[in-house]
Amino acid sequence: MKAEKPLTKKYRKKSRLKDIWQRMRRNRIAMAGFFVFVLILLCTIFADLLVAYPKALEQNMGERYLTPSAAHWFGTDLYGRDIFARVIHGTRNSLLMGIGAVFVGITLGGLLGSVAGFFGGRADMIIMRVLDTVMCIPFMLMALAIVAALGTGLVNVLIALMLAMVPYYTRVIRSAILNVVEMDFIEAARACGTPNRYIIIKHVLPNAIGPIIVQATMSIGNMIISAAAMSFLGMGIQPPDPEWGSMLSEGREYMFSAPHMVIFPGLAITVTALSVNLMGDGLRDALDPRLRE
Amino acid sequence: MGDERLGRYIIRRVLLLVPMLFVIIFIVFGIMSLTPNNPGAVMLGLRGTPEAITALNHELGYDRPVLVRYADYIVHLAQGDMGTSYITGRNVFSEIVQRFPATAKLALLSVLTAAVIGVLLGILAAVRQYGIFDMIGTAAAMFTASMPGFWFALIAILVFSLRLRWLPSNGLDSWKHYILPTLMLALPEAAGIMRLTRTTMLETIRQDYIRTARSKGQTERRVIFRHALKNALLPVVTVIGMDFGWLLGGAVVIEQVFSINGVGKLIIEAIRMKDVPQVTGCAVFMAFFFILVMLVVDILYAYIDPRIKVRYQRR
């Protein structure tokens, strides 16, 4: 008896998570994405140590449209504000919108998707029919309509993006769950008389979580871009708060004389989205070894 | 026989449009009814006394319950009337119809461009897996998927309009004007289509019937184009249809960047002015356009996929 204990411990130690991590570590491109993303996260958390927040708002009419230099790494904008400081402090808003929208959207989609996938039948039919119709309204239009109704601002854009994504998440999660529900061990659990609630939490979700995590990671990049697009259209965070999309829309007017005003915020969006997407790609490969040949 | 069944399938799908439209309008209406502003306050602005605002709201029928207004909207819509704009006082429907051709042309051109580029590169990438095309294509797909389309468009304007002076940067006056907006809309979609074509193509190439075709001594080109492509493209067709929805959304932003007077620009102007009838009209119109495209895709699918045809013959 005593000899068995360390053995189970040993097995448990090499959990799925560790397994996935090990597989992902072998994927250099995915790891590069992971490190860049961690760097961006650190930049967000310690933004104030890099450049003080007031510097992102401080106007200096004598130093307008300056090209990048040692004093202003990314140059200055139409009010003479330091673009580097604005990009750094804009990270928080973009990440908040990107990750926030995905997190809440996935939770709502997860609820609907698990009900539809697990119980099937009429619930499934009603949920999916309604969502199919909702998806006939193009995503961006849906988000814009919600913002039009609620008004502009960070929180409303967040709500709009999140609600507009729910149908897409529900679909992915439902199909992930459907794949698991068909398995024999679910049948076995049912035969043992396990309550549904327990089956969903203990058996279905852990086995369906892979594609859900991949979908979540991949859509963070998408949401960051969509949030920036909303701000670019003037629907998101209102000036003077730094946000990449609204910086682009400001810079657009002056881009012929001061192209650095549009180059750097755009690069910030691209690098962030790219790092998340590379990470998501790597995660997908790590979770699904069949894709590797 | 088969065609008759297919005809019945098409009629059923067309009839299904009606309830779908009802639900879409209901959703858009529901969302728009959350607007804190009322038309009286928007139209009268600062001049409006509370009494005048209430009177105007009553005149517009805005003080009635949402469901009543919804029914009213449907009745009017059936007569081709989407109401009048709060701001300009112009007919919403005629405004949209006037702006629509620009958006439709842009979206259709982009979808075609994206499909051609995406499918061709996808085939190349799959046929020479891990080859140079595969590497470059995959990397390019990753980049375009991570790049905001509107930023890409701004950079393209900087390069092609400002520095090289090859292409105009705003409006849609000549064929040259179409090149940048179309490409900027198409490239991100092309990236997605390329990745999907590559995956389905790789799966198809490993099927038994491809091995059979090869062992019969068919040329490689014939194997790829006659045997593999037809089967690999089926899922791609659906995704191209779905992409169209994203494209319509993307058009909103791209029209803004290139100053194109399309429905996308109209809806943004309407949102800024809190012009609810115009926003509702645009959203409903675009959604309807999208379901029409999806209908065409579904019918196309039934034609090209023999499995669906067979299913309808059996019934």
Side-chain angles (χ1 to χ4, degrees):
Chain A
M1 265 311 237
K2 255 184 189 173
E4 262 174 39
K5 255 196 172 168
L7 202 65
T8 46
K9 222 178 187 177
K10 200 176 147 200
Y11 272 113
R12 195 168 284 165
K13 243 186 180 172
K14 196 168 162 63
S15 67
R16 257 185 93 204
L17 224 74
K18 207 165 178 185
D19 198 35
I20 292 165
W21 172 243
Q22 268 171 1
R23 239 178 284 153
M24 200 169 142
R25 253 178 42 188
R26 266 180 262 145
N27 186 341
R28 266 192 230 147
I29 298 174
M31 284 318 280
F34 178 72
F35 279 120
V36 172
F37 186 68
V38 169
L39 211 70
I40 293 170
L41 268 185
L42 288 177
C43 271
T44 317
I45 299 168
F46 299 109
D48 284 311
L49 294 180
L50 278 169
V51 259
Y53 186 67
K55 231 189 148 201
L57 299 180
E58 189 186 26
Q59 302 189 358
N60 192 341
M61 288 304 176
E63 296 187 340
R64 297 163 69 190
Y65 314 116
L66 290 186
T67 47
S69 64
H72 302 286
W73 289 359
F74 292 175
T76 59
D77 68 2
L78 69 156
Y79 298 114
R81 293 175 299 202
D82 185 51
I83 294 182
F84 178 71
R86 289 180 72 71
V87 166
I88 290 292
H89 284 281
T91 318
R92 187 179 336 145
N93 288 331
S94 286
L95 282 186
L96 189 71
M97 286 202 277
I99 298 174
V102 171
F103 192 75
V104 186
I106 284 250
T107 313
L108 285 178
L111 265 166
L112 284 174
S114 16
V115 169
F118 187 77
F119 294 104
R122 188 166 286 175
D124 183 32
M125 207 197 74
I126 294 172
I127 291 177
M128 292 323 285
R129 280 289 154 280
V130 171
L131 290 184
D132 278 347
T133 320
V134 175
M135 280 160 93
C136 287
I137 306 174
F139 169 77
M140 198 69 191
L141 276 182
M142 186 73 172
L144 280 172
I146 299 173
V147 172
L150 298 179
T152 54
L154 178 121
V155 177
N156 289 343
V157 167
L158 191 73
I159 293 174
L161 291 177
M162 170 196 105
L163 286 181
M165 270 319 272
V166 166
Y168 300 88
Y169 292 139
T170 307
R171 262 208 172 165
V172 172
I173 293 172
R174 173 180 172 267
S175 70
I177 282 177
L178 272 182
N179 281 339
V180 179
V181 168
E182 309 258 295
M183 303 272 193
D184 287 340
F185 63 87
I186 300 293
E187 187 97 355
R190 278 209 178 112
C192 292
T194 322
N196 279 336
R197 174 167 37 94
Y198 196 80
I199 297 181
I200 293 180
I201 295 170
K202 257 323 215 208
H203 299 290
V204 179
L205 280 181
N207 286 291
I209 204 84
I212 299 175
I213 290 178
V214 173
Q215 175 74 21
T217 324
M218 298 293 249
S219 66
I220 288 178
N222 217 328
M223 283 305 102
I224 288 175
I225 292 174
S226 300
M230 298 287 261
S231 297
F232 180 74
L233 295 172
M235 306 294 144
I237 293 168
Q238 301 299 313
D241 267 355
E243 201 273 343
W244 298 337
S246 60
M247 287 171 73
L248 280 176
S249 112
E250 264 178 1
R252 191 189 148 211
E253 316 262 324
Y254 307 94
M255 71 175 191
F256 290 117
S257 50
H260 62 271
M261 277 177 73
V262 295
I263 291 175
F264 291 109
L267 269 181
I269 303 174
T270 309
V271 169
T272 313
L274 189 63
S275 72
V276 183
N277 285 343
L278 289 176
M279 218 161 68
D281 231 30
L283 259 179
R284 188 184 49 203
D285 290 351
L287 281 165
D288 189 356
R290 275 173 309 159
L291 285 172
R292 298 187 138 203
E293 274 128 293
Chain B
M1 180 64 187
D3 283 341
E4 190 191 309
R5 305 274 175 149
L6 205 63
R8 220 174 286 166
Y9 165 74
I10 293 171
I11 292 171
R12 260 230 321 258
R13 279 292 275 107
V14 172
L15 286 180
L16 204 68
L17 286 183
V18 180
M20 279 171 94
L21 193 59
F22 273 88
V23 178
I24 287 174
I25 298 172
F26 185 76
I27 294 165
V28 175
F29 227 79
I31 294 173
M32 294 317 291
S33 69
L34 297 172
T35 317
N37 282 71
N38 54 57
V42 172
M43 288 163 87
L44 294 173
L46 294 172
R47 295 177 289 136
T49 58
E51 292 81 11
I53 289 174
T54 317
L56 188 58
N57 280 341
H58 182 70
E59 196 189 310
L60 291 167
Y62 191 79
D63 51 357
R64 294 172 304 163
V66 181
L67 280 179
V68 176
R69 280 187 283 134
Y70 168 66
D72 198 46
Y73 190 83
I74 296 223
V75 171
H76 279 95
L77 187 68
Q79 301 159 3
D81 176 18
M82 287 179 146
T84 46
S85 156
Y86 288 168
I87 309 296
T88 57
R90 294 185 56 186
N91 185 295
V92 169
F93 188 67
S94 59
E95 189 94 347
I96 295 174
V97 169
Q98 197 191 329
R99 303 264 200 128
F100 181 62
T103 307
K105 263 190 251 172
L106 198 62
L108 290 173
L109 268 177
S110 305
V111 117
L112 280 178
T113 316
V116 171
I117 298 178
V119 168
L120 283 180
L121 286 181
I123 297 172
L124 275 177
V127 173
R128 307 236 185 286
Q129 197 185 1
Y130 304 123
I132 184 90
F133 266 114
D134 192 15
M135 298 293 204
I136 295 176
T138 311
M142 205 66 206
F143 266 102
T144 40
S146 310
M147 221 184 281
F150 57 97
W151 180 63
F152 199 25
L154 289 175
I155 299 297
I157 291 178
L158 272 180
V159 176
F160 293 105
S161 305
L162 183 73
R163 292 258 180 268
L164 300 171
R165 296 186 183 281
W166 285 353
L167 297 165
S169 67
N170 56 16
L172 278 184
D173 302 327
S174 71
W175 63 270
K176 269 189 171 177
H177 287 81
Y178 279 94
I179 297 178
L180 276 185
T182 306
L183 275 182
M184 291 306 113
L185 260 180
L187 286 181
E189 304 304 328
I193 295 172
M194 184 220 132
R195 286 170 63 119
L196 184 71
T197 311
R198 176 181 179 270
T199 318
T200 56
M201 202 66 189
L202 282 176
E203 271 167 19
T204 318
I205 288 175
R206 284 171 179 62
Q207 298 286 322
D208 288 342
Y209 59 83
I210 296 295
R211 199 185 314 138
T212 312
R214 282 209 177 112
S215 60
K216 279 195 307 186
Q218 304 238 314
T219 58
E220 186 63 20
R221 187 187 296 172
R222 204 176 152 81
V223 170
I224 297 297
F225 284 95
R226 289 285 300 214
H227 298 267
L229 190 60
K230 252 179 151 177
N231 290 290
L233 277 190
L234 288 173
V236 180
V237 171
T238 324
V239 167
I240 292 176
M242 296 282 280
D243 271 354
F244 199 76
W246 287 93
L247 252 165
L248 284 178
V252 175
V253 191
I254 289 293
E255 280 176 14
Q256 205 72 19
V257 174
F258 289 96
S259 309
I260 294 166
N261 260 327
V263 182
K265 199 153 169 265
L266 183 65
I267 199 172
I268 296 300
E269 286 159 13
I271 291 175
R272 288 208 183 117
M273 308 274 209
K274 303 194 193 313
D275 190 349
V276 175
Q278 192 73 68
V279 178
T280 313
C282 288
V284 169
F285 194 89
M286 295 277 252
F288 188 63
F289 182 51
F290 179 49
I291 49 178
L292 278 185
V293 171
M294 286 306 282
L295 174 75
V296 174
V297 171
D298 274 1
I299 293 172
L300 210 70
Y301 206 90
Y303 262 110
I304 56 177
D305 191 347
R307 279 167 294 189
I308 292 185
K309 235 187 214 167
V310 168
R311 203 180 334 151
Y312 276 90
Q313 277 163 355
R314 261 190 223 138
R315 272 192 196 172

